[in-house]
Amino acid sequence: MMPTDIKHSLKFDFEKRIISGKKTKVLVITWQFTKSQKIKRNHLAFATLVHLDVQQYMMNYGKIDEETGQARVEFRILDFYAPGNYGVISIGTTGNLLDSVEKCFLSSGENEPMPTIQLRF
């Protein structure tokens, strides 16, 4: 059974790193899974980020901490990315093709609202 996320636990953070000798901003997206479910070692987290004005999509994979149940996905913010409002349209976990689950966020309706962040470069 795949782990399920805790509603409204998604958070954004920024980190600054030196990558290939260049100062780089990294957008870190984290969320929490219920601790009652066992997360397998081979499970990966994933998130899909979209620029809400130009419909530019980015997807990336990350890790899930087996002990804390926290998922972490990082996006390098590159110079050519458009500033503006970004939203997370989906998050999920995958172990293999038959062992994955995805949660989609919508801008309206009964689902959990889409987490958004404004990025300025």
Side-chain angles (χ1 to χ4, degrees), residues 31-95:
W31 65 94
Q32 197 69 38
F33 287 102
T34 58
K35 291 182 181 179
S36 63
Q37 295 174 314
K38 182 68 178 156
I39 296 170
K40 294 179 184 174
R41 210 173 273 267
N42 68 334
H43 284 164
L44 296 174
F46 65 86
T48 306
L49 190 66
V50 62
H51 189 296
L52 298 175
D53 299 323
V54 296
Q55 299 300 306
Q56 204 173 31
Y57 293 84
M58 297 176 276
M59 182 181 179
N60 209 359
Y61 289 89
K63 297 180 180 182
I64 304 171
D65 185 304
E66 293 177 49
E67 290 186 26
T68 66
Q70 184 182 61
R72 177 185 175 101
V73 178
E74 299 178 355
F75 290 88
R76 285 177 56 185
I77 305 300
L78 303 175
D79 293 338
F80 59 84
Y81 287 178
N85 294 312
Y86 285 77
V88 176
I89 59 170
S90 68
I91 57 173
T93 59
T94 184

Side-chain angles (χ1 to χ4, degrees), residues 6-23:
I6 298 173
K7 283 188 173 190
H8 306 290
S9 66
L10 191 140
K11 293 181 176 28
F12 296 103
D13 198 10
F14 282 101
E15 294 179 359
K16 292 181 182 180
R17 296 196 194 136
I18 303 294
I19 300 175
S20 300
K22 184 177 180 184
K23 291 181 184 178

